Amino acid sequence: MNLSQLRLVYYPDPRLRKRSSPIETIDQRLADVVSRMFEIMYEAKGLGLAAVQAGLNWRLFVTNTTGQPDGQRVYINPEILQMEGTVERDEGCLSFPDLYAPLTRAQYCKIRAIDLTGSAFEEEATDLLARAWQHEMDHLNGVLICDRMSPAHKIASRRQLKHLEEKYGTGPATSGSRRGPVARKR
Ligand code: ZN
């Protein structure tokens, strides 16, 4: 695998809809993929990235919610063990440029995962990091923010979703609508 071929995958790429498979081998190749994932995430100014967003249907995601080098986290074969409370905040996704919607998530989470040395660990988080975990776990299960939006927000985002479908979709071009107005950026 050529790492430079790993690029950010945008909605409606069908890979984003697949359930990702567990990782069986933790080796240098995986460490290299993780490095490339961090590059993609930082380039796009994101807080988290699931492997599927780099085109690999693997149960792996990375986060950095502090923006500092020591804020980097790697979660291999993660499971959320516990969730508590609810909080609604605007949430976006690197695979949906410029789209944000208020989503309700648990305020607290406990997660279990494996790190790059092959050791299992458990971690607790609230708010931003807990939200990032829930968002990335959704990616591993093929669930996207447009599935979590309220019906009203889905309707409000219809134009932006259609714009992404036209820009990044591989389906037949719908003639005429391609020249339509571009969704307004927020
Ligand atoms: Zn996302």
Side-chain angles (χ1 to χ4, degrees), residues 16 48-50 53 91-96 135-136 139 143-145:
L16 293 171
L49 190 85
Q53 292 179 283
E91 193 172 310
C93 176
L94 294 181
S95 297
F96 291 77
H135 179 105
E136 303 311 333
H139 274 301
V143 175
L144 300 172
I145 52 170

Side-chain angles (χ1 to χ4, degrees), residues 166 170-178:
E166 287 174 356
T170 52
T174 45
S175 61
S177 60
R178 266 181 193 271

Side-chain angles (χ1 to χ4, degrees), residues 99-114:
L99 184 67
Y100 297 90
L103 300 190
T104 300
R105 298 283 193 184
Q107 192 262 340
Y108 160 91
C109 279
K110 187 175 188 178
I111 199 168
R112 177 194 290 149
I114 297 170

Side-chain angles (χ1 to χ4, degrees), residues 38-49:
F38 276 115
E39 266 177 31
I40 293 170
M41 186 183 89
Y42 293 133
E43 255 171 49
K45 303 196 188 326
L47 306 176
L49 190 85

Side-chain angles (χ1 to χ4, degrees), residues 67-111:
Q68 302 301 314
D70 65 0
Q72 289 202 163
R73 297 276 184 283
V74 179
Y75 303 87
I76 299 164
N77 298 341
E79 290 170 76
I80 289 183
L81 302 176
Q82 213 180 324
M83 293 198 277
E84 277 170 33
T86 56
V87 60
E88 189 188 78
R89 287 271 184 284
D90 265 1
E91 193 172 310
C93 176
L94 294 181
S95 297
F96 291 77
D98 302 319
L99 184 67
Y100 297 90
L103 300 190
T104 300
R105 298 283 193 184
Q107 192 262 340
Y108 160 91
C109 279
K110 187 175 188 178
I111 199 168

Side-chain angles (χ1 to χ4, degrees), residues 6-139:
L6 299 182
R7 297 276 161 84
L8 186 55
V9 166
Y10 296 98
Y11 172 84
D13 190 298
R15 285 170 288 185
L16 293 171
R17 287 299 187 187
K18 281 198 198 154
R19 189 180 160 82
S20 292
S21 305
I23 288 174
E24 283 166 17
T25 312
I26 295 169
D27 55 9
Q28 188 54 46
R29 185 183 74 133
L30 187 68
D32 293 343
V33 165
V34 164
S35 301
R36 177 69 190 134
M37 284 171 62
F38 276 115
E39 266 177 31
I40 293 170
M41 186 183 89
Y42 293 133
E43 255 171 49
K45 303 196 188 326
L47 306 176
L49 190 85
V52 61
Q53 292 179 283
L56 301 168
N57 280 106
W58 298 355
R59 298 191 83 77
L60 157 69
F61 67 77
V62 300
T63 64
N64 187 342
T65 52
T66 67
Q68 302 301 314
D70 65 0
Q72 289 202 163
R73 297 276 184 283
V74 179
Y75 303 87
I76 299 164
N77 298 341
E79 290 170 76
I80 289 183
L81 302 176
Q82 213 180 324
M83 293 198 277
E84 277 170 33
T86 56
V87 60
E88 189 188 78
R89 287 271 184 284
D90 265 1
E91 193 172 310
C93 176
L94 294 181
S95 297
F96 291 77
D98 302 319
L99 184 67
Y100 297 90
L103 300 190
T104 300
R105 298 283 193 184
Q107 192 262 340
Y108 160 91
C109 279
K110 187 175 188 178
I111 199 168
R112 177 194 290 149
I114 297 170
D115 65 21
L116 274 176
T117 69
S119 308
F121 66 96
E122 289 184 5
E123 198 180 337
E124 296 175 295
T126 56
D127 301 308
L128 189 58
L129 184 55
R131 177 172 292 268
W133 290 348
Q134 292 167 80
H135 179 105
E136 303 311 333
M137 281 302 299
D138 272 356
H139 274 301

